[in-house]
Structure formats: structure tokens, C-alpha cells
Amino acid sequence: MPVERTSKGFKDVSLTFKRNPLNKDITSVKNETAISRAVRNLILTKKGERFFDLDFGTNVSNLLFENIGPFAADSIKDEIISAIRNYEPRVEIVNNDDIVVMPNYDNNQYDINIKYSIVGIAPDSQEISFVLKSVK
């Protein structure tokens, strides 16, 4: 009989830094929202940007300055998969096809869609989508 993992609630600080009117503390985000923001922040963090853990993050920002196309999209996808598997233990990617990196040639950007499940929670899959674009 397999061991069933149960998870606790997840809580994180909201990056808006607004005050909660009831307790005057910084507002927080919980569970699915906290994890989706953590995954997005992990992907957008450059390697070497976090003190004392220089391997944390991805090299996605460097890849955005390569010629837009399928080869760069595959490299971005590999970076995302590696970062999530190494630094986000709350998230499980069942299949590598659950991460889609589509080059958007007209806007010179990549459209990212990530499907994942949260470890210890019912097998409802979560999905986040965002855009990666080089900043000049």
C-alpha cells in the first residue's frame, strides 16, 4: 500500500504589500495562489540573483535575447522543467508536455502555459499562463 502524502496549507506574503484592514498586517495569499506565484517567481528569477543560493532560478532571461524560434523555446522549456523539479517540491509535473512554450513571432515574445499538480492535494491540476518578453 503506497504512503499517502498529505499537505498542509500554504501561505505567502502578497507582493502588493497592502495592509489588511482588520489586523493591520501585510495581506497574504494562500494555497493555490501562493504556489502559482512561487512558480512564476522561480522562473523569472535569474541564476545568481538570490544570495547564498546562486543556482536558484533560471537562465530564461538570457535566452530571451536569442533569435525567437523553436530551438530557443525548447531551451526555455528545459530551464523551466529543471527549475521546478529542483526548487519547488510542492509542485509535481506529471508529463513534460504539460509545459508549453510557444514562440509569438508577431510580438517577439514567448507564451508560457504550465500545468501541474500540487503534492498532497487531490489530483486537480493547476494551470498558470504568462508571457516572457525581452526588455530592451
PDB file of all heavy atoms in Angstrom, residues 5-25:
ATOM      1  N   ARG A   5       0.763  11.064   0.833  1.00  0.00           N
ATOM      2  CA  ARG A   5       1.308  12.305   1.354  1.00  0.00           C
ATOM      3  C   ARG A   5       0.175  13.307   1.505  1.00  0.00           C
ATOM      4  O   ARG A   5      -0.618  13.493   0.594  1.00  0.00           O
ATOM      5  CB  ARG A   5       2.372  12.868   0.429  1.00  0.00           C
ATOM      6  CG  ARG A   5       3.582  12.006   0.336  1.00  0.00           C
ATOM      7  CD  ARG A   5       4.670  12.699  -0.410  1.00  0.00           C
ATOM      8  NE  ARG A   5       4.429  12.576  -1.843  1.00  0.00           N
ATOM      9  CZ  ARG A   5       5.235  13.031  -2.763  1.00  0.00           C
ATOM     10  NH1 ARG A   5       6.338  13.647  -2.428  1.00  0.00           N
ATOM     11  NH2 ARG A   5       4.967  12.887  -4.039  1.00  0.00           N
ATOM     12  N   THR A   6       0.122  13.916   2.637  1.00  0.00           N
ATOM     13  CA  THR A   6      -0.854  14.977   2.835  1.00  0.00           C
ATOM     14  C   THR A   6      -0.109  16.282   2.984  1.00  0.00           C
ATOM     15  O   THR A   6       1.012  16.317   3.483  1.00  0.00           O
ATOM     16  CB  THR A   6      -1.711  14.734   4.095  1.00  0.00           C
ATOM     17  OG1 THR A   6      -0.839  14.650   5.216  1.00  0.00           O
ATOM     18  CG2 THR A   6      -2.516  13.457   3.969  1.00  0.00           C
ATOM     19  N   SER A   7      -0.712  17.326   2.529  1.00  0.00           N
ATOM     20  CA  SER A   7      -0.027  18.607   2.621  1.00  0.00           C
ATOM     21  C   SER A   7      -0.764  19.516   3.574  1.00  0.00           C
ATOM     22  O   SER A   7      -1.947  19.356   3.838  1.00  0.00           O
ATOM     23  CB  SER A   7       0.091  19.252   1.247  1.00  0.00           C
ATOM     24  OG  SER A   7      -1.088  19.900   0.911  1.00  0.00           O
ATOM     25  N   LYS A   8      -0.038  20.475   4.045  1.00  0.00           N
ATOM     26  CA  LYS A   8      -0.607  21.497   4.903  1.00  0.00           C
ATOM     27  C   LYS A   8      -1.006  22.668   4.027  1.00  0.00           C
ATOM     28  O   LYS A   8      -0.698  22.704   2.846  1.00  0.00           O
ATOM     29  CB  LYS A   8       0.428  21.933   5.935  1.00  0.00           C
ATOM     30  CG  LYS A   8       0.911  20.812   6.817  1.00  0.00           C
ATOM     31  CD  LYS A   8       1.983  21.289   7.748  1.00  0.00           C
ATOM     32  CE  LYS A   8       2.473  20.128   8.599  1.00  0.00           C
ATOM     33  NZ  LYS A   8       3.553  20.498   9.474  1.00  0.00           N
ATOM     34  N   GLY A   9      -1.643  23.641   4.624  1.00  0.00           N
ATOM     35  CA  GLY A   9      -1.964  24.842   3.875  1.00  0.00           C
ATOM     36  C   GLY A   9      -0.706  25.636   3.591  1.00  0.00           C
ATOM     37  O   GLY A   9       0.246  25.627   4.366  1.00  0.00           O
ATOM     38  N   PHE A  10      -0.683  26.302   2.457  1.00  0.00           N
ATOM     39  CA  PHE A  10       0.468  27.106   2.069  1.00  0.00           C
ATOM     40  C   PHE A  10       0.084  28.571   2.155  1.00  0.00           C
ATOM     41  O   PHE A  10      -1.012  28.959   1.778  1.00  0.00           O
ATOM     42  CB  PHE A  10       0.904  26.771   0.646  1.00  0.00           C
ATOM     43  CG  PHE A  10       1.256  25.320   0.460  1.00  0.00           C
ATOM     44  CD1 PHE A  10       0.439  24.485  -0.273  1.00  0.00           C
ATOM     45  CD2 PHE A  10       2.396  24.801   1.031  1.00  0.00           C
ATOM     46  CE1 PHE A  10       0.759  23.161  -0.444  1.00  0.00           C
ATOM     47  CE2 PHE A  10       2.726  23.474   0.864  1.00  0.00           C
ATOM     48  CZ  PHE A  10       1.900  22.651   0.121  1.00  0.00           C
ATOM     49  N   LYS A  11       1.004  29.377   2.633  1.00  0.00           N
ATOM     50  CA  LYS A  11       0.733  30.799   2.820  1.00  0.00           C
ATOM     51  C   LYS A  11       1.977  31.582   2.446  1.00  0.00           C
ATOM     52  O   LYS A  11       3.091  31.171   2.750  1.00  0.00           O
ATOM     53  CB  LYS A  11       0.367  31.039   4.279  1.00  0.00           C
ATOM     54  CG  LYS A  11      -0.167  32.394   4.583  1.00  0.00           C
ATOM     55  CD  LYS A  11      -0.611  32.456   6.034  1.00  0.00           C
ATOM     56  CE  LYS A  11      -1.164  33.803   6.371  1.00  0.00           C
ATOM     57  NZ  LYS A  11      -1.580  33.890   7.764  1.00  0.00           N
ATOM     58  N   ASP A  12       1.766  32.713   1.791  1.00  0.00           N
ATOM     59  CA  ASP A  12       2.891  33.534   1.368  1.00  0.00           C
ATOM     60  C   ASP A  12       2.485  34.997   1.453  1.00  0.00           C
ATOM     61  O   ASP A  12       1.307  35.330   1.489  1.00  0.00           O
ATOM     62  CB  ASP A  12       3.288  33.177  -0.064  1.00  0.00           C
ATOM     63  CG  ASP A  12       4.714  33.559  -0.391  1.00  0.00           C
ATOM     64  OD1 ASP A  12       5.390  34.142   0.474  1.00  0.00           O
ATOM     65  OD2 ASP A  12       5.157  33.270  -1.513  1.00  0.00           O
ATOM     66  N   VAL A  13       3.461  35.862   1.457  1.00  0.00           N
ATOM     67  CA  VAL A  13       3.208  37.305   1.512  1.00  0.00           C
ATOM     68  C   VAL A  13       2.776  37.777   0.135  1.00  0.00           C
ATOM     69  O   VAL A  13       3.362  37.405  -0.879  1.00  0.00           O
ATOM     70  CB  VAL A  13       4.489  38.052   1.956  1.00  0.00           C
ATOM     71  CG1 VAL A  13       4.284  39.549   1.892  1.00  0.00           C
ATOM     72  CG2 VAL A  13       4.898  37.630   3.339  1.00  0.00           C
ATOM     73  N   SER A  14       1.758  38.610   0.083  1.00  0.00           N
ATOM     74  CA  SER A  14       1.325  39.193  -1.180  1.00  0.00           C
ATOM     75  C   SER A  14       2.335  40.254  -1.601  1.00  0.00           C
ATOM     76  O   SER A  14       2.779  41.067  -0.788  1.00  0.00           O
ATOM     77  CB  SER A  14      -0.051  39.825  -1.030  1.00  0.00           C
ATOM     78  OG  SER A  14      -0.405  40.511  -2.200  1.00  0.00           O
ATOM     79  N   LEU A  15       2.682  40.263  -2.863  1.00  0.00           N
ATOM     80  CA  LEU A  15       3.679  41.209  -3.344  1.00  0.00           C
ATOM     81  C   LEU A  15       3.124  42.614  -3.539  1.00  0.00           C
ATOM     82  O   LEU A  15       3.857  43.530  -3.900  1.00  0.00           O
ATOM     83  CB  LEU A  15       4.306  40.696  -4.637  1.00  0.00           C
ATOM     84  CG  LEU A  15       5.092  39.402  -4.483  1.00  0.00           C
ATOM     85  CD1 LEU A  15       5.656  38.950  -5.824  1.00  0.00           C
ATOM     86  CD2 LEU A  15       6.206  39.544  -3.473  1.00  0.00           C
ATOM     87  N   THR A  16       1.840  42.797  -3.274  1.00  0.00           N
ATOM     88  CA  THR A  16       1.278  44.152  -3.328  1.00  0.00           C
ATOM     89  C   THR A  16       1.634  44.932  -2.070  1.00  0.00           C
ATOM     90  O   THR A  16       1.597  46.157  -2.068  1.00  0.00           O
ATOM     91  CB  THR A  16      -0.252  44.109  -3.461  1.00  0.00           C
ATOM     92  OG1 THR A  16      -0.806  43.466  -2.312  1.00  0.00           O
ATOM     93  CG2 THR A  16      -0.677  43.395  -4.732  1.00  0.00           C
ATOM     94  N   PHE A  17       1.943  44.227  -0.988  1.00  0.00           N
ATOM     95  CA  PHE A  17       2.296  44.803   0.303  1.00  0.00           C
ATOM     96  C   PHE A  17       1.206  45.730   0.839  1.00  0.00           C
ATOM     97  O   PHE A  17       1.491  46.695   1.554  1.00  0.00           O
ATOM     98  CB  PHE A  17       3.640  45.542   0.251  1.00  0.00           C
ATOM     99  CG  PHE A  17       4.794  44.617   0.002  1.00  0.00           C
ATOM    100  CD1 PHE A  17       5.440  44.605  -1.221  1.00  0.00           C
ATOM    101  CD2 PHE A  17       5.222  43.754   0.994  1.00  0.00           C
ATOM    102  CE1 PHE A  17       6.497  43.746  -1.453  1.00  0.00           C
ATOM    103  CE2 PHE A  17       6.280  42.898   0.766  1.00  0.00           C
ATOM    104  CZ  PHE A  17       6.920  42.895  -0.458  1.00  0.00           C
ATOM    105  N   LYS A  18      -0.039  45.435   0.521  1.00  0.00           N
ATOM    106  CA  LYS A  18      -1.148  46.202   1.080  1.00  0.00           C
ATOM    107  C   LYS A  18      -1.434  45.709   2.485  1.00  0.00           C
ATOM    108  O   LYS A  18      -1.166  44.570   2.832  1.00  0.00           O
ATOM    109  CB  LYS A  18      -2.393  46.046   0.206  1.00  0.00           C
ATOM    110  CG  LYS A  18      -2.252  46.707  -1.135  1.00  0.00           C
ATOM    111  CD  LYS A  18      -3.536  46.589  -1.930  1.00  0.00           C
ATOM    112  CE  LYS A  18      -3.384  47.270  -3.278  1.00  0.00           C
ATOM    113  NZ  LYS A  18      -4.588  47.141  -4.084  1.00  0.00           N
ATOM    114  N   ARG A  19      -2.015  46.578   3.285  1.00  0.00           N
ATOM    115  CA  ARG A  19      -2.352  46.218   4.663  1.00  0.00           C
ATOM    116  C   ARG A  19      -3.721  45.581   4.739  1.00  0.00           C
ATOM    117  O   ARG A  19      -4.654  45.994   4.051  1.00  0.00           O
ATOM    118  CB  ARG A  19      -2.368  47.452   5.548  1.00  0.00           C
ATOM    119  CG  ARG A  19      -1.034  47.893   5.981  1.00  0.00           C
ATOM    120  CD  ARG A  19      -1.182  48.966   7.000  1.00  0.00           C
ATOM    121  NE  ARG A  19       0.111  49.225   7.582  1.00  0.00           N
ATOM    122  CZ  ARG A  19       0.295  49.967   8.646  1.00  0.00           C
ATOM    123  NH1 ARG A  19      -0.719  50.535   9.231  1.00  0.00           N
ATOM    124  NH2 ARG A  19       1.497  50.155   9.097  1.00  0.00           N
ATOM    125  N   ASN A  20      -3.817  44.597   5.621  1.00  0.00           N
ATOM    126  CA  ASN A  20      -5.109  44.013   5.930  1.00  0.00           C
ATOM    127  C   ASN A  20      -5.834  44.991   6.849  1.00  0.00           C
ATOM    128  O   ASN A  20      -5.313  45.354   7.903  1.00  0.00           O
ATOM    129  CB  ASN A  20      -4.900  42.662   6.622  1.00  0.00           C
ATOM    130  CG  ASN A  20      -6.197  41.949   6.903  1.00  0.00           C
ATOM    131  OD1 ASN A  20      -7.249  42.565   7.049  1.00  0.00           O
ATOM    132  ND2 ASN A  20      -6.113  40.641   6.980  1.00  0.00           N
ATOM    133  N   PRO A  21      -7.040  45.440   6.499  1.00  0.00           N
ATOM    134  CA  PRO A  21      -7.709  46.446   7.323  1.00  0.00           C
ATOM    135  C   PRO A  21      -8.119  45.940   8.705  1.00  0.00           C
ATOM    136  O   PRO A  21      -8.314  46.736   9.622  1.00  0.00           O
ATOM    137  CB  PRO A  21      -8.936  46.825   6.502  1.00  0.00           C
ATOM    138  CG  PRO A  21      -9.134  45.715   5.548  1.00  0.00           C
ATOM    139  CD  PRO A  21      -7.802  45.087   5.318  1.00  0.00           C
ATOM    140  N   LEU A  22      -8.213  44.622   8.873  1.00  0.00           N
ATOM    141  CA  LEU A  22      -8.647  44.085  10.170  1.00  0.00           C
ATOM    142  C   LEU A  22      -7.515  43.993  11.187  1.00  0.00           C
ATOM    143  O   LEU A  22      -7.680  44.365  12.345  1.00  0.00           O
ATOM    144  CB  LEU A  22      -9.285  42.713   9.977  1.00  0.00           C
ATOM    145  CG  LEU A  22     -10.523  42.689   9.088  1.00  0.00           C
ATOM    146  CD1 LEU A  22     -10.997  41.264   8.882  1.00  0.00           C
ATOM    147  CD2 LEU A  22     -11.618  43.548   9.690  1.00  0.00           C
ATOM    148  N   ASN A  23      -6.352  43.499  10.761  1.00  0.00           N
ATOM    149  CA  ASN A  23      -5.271  43.318  11.728  1.00  0.00           C
ATOM    150  C   ASN A  23      -4.031  44.172  11.431  1.00  0.00           C
ATOM    151  O   ASN A  23      -3.026  44.038  12.093  1.00  0.00           O
ATOM    152  CB  ASN A  23      -4.877  41.838  11.815  1.00  0.00           C
ATOM    153  CG  ASN A  23      -4.366  41.296  10.509  1.00  0.00           C
ATOM    154  OD1 ASN A  23      -4.135  42.027   9.551  1.00  0.00           O
ATOM    155  ND2 ASN A  23      -4.188  39.986  10.475  1.00  0.00           N
ATOM    156  N   LYS A  24      -4.112  45.030  10.416  1.00  0.00           N
ATOM    157  CA  LYS A  24      -3.038  45.961  10.049  1.00  0.00           C
ATOM    158  C   LYS A  24      -1.748  45.268   9.630  1.00  0.00           C
ATOM    159  O   LYS A  24      -0.692  45.868   9.588  1.00  0.00           O
ATOM    160  CB  LYS A  24      -2.728  46.940  11.192  1.00  0.00           C
ATOM    161  CG  LYS A  24      -3.924  47.700  11.704  1.00  0.00           C
ATOM    162  CD  LYS A  24      -4.461  48.628  10.669  1.00  0.00           C
ATOM    163  CE  LYS A  24      -5.603  49.458  11.285  1.00  0.00           C
ATOM    164  NZ  LYS A  24      -6.526  49.944  10.329  1.00  0.00           N
ATOM    165  N   ASP A  25      -1.824  43.970   9.335  1.00  0.00           N
ATOM    166  CA  ASP A  25      -0.668  43.222   8.880  1.00  0.00           C
ATOM    167  C   ASP A  25      -0.666  43.200   7.353  1.00  0.00           C
ATOM    168  O   ASP A  25      -1.643  43.546   6.705  1.00  0.00           O
ATOM    169  CB  ASP A  25      -0.730  41.793   9.418  1.00  0.00           C
ATOM    170  CG  ASP A  25       0.609  41.092   9.398  1.00  0.00           C
ATOM    171  OD1 ASP A  25       1.609  41.735   9.038  1.00  0.00           O
ATOM    172  OD2 ASP A  25       0.648  39.900   9.749  1.00  0.00           O
TER     173      ASP A  25
END
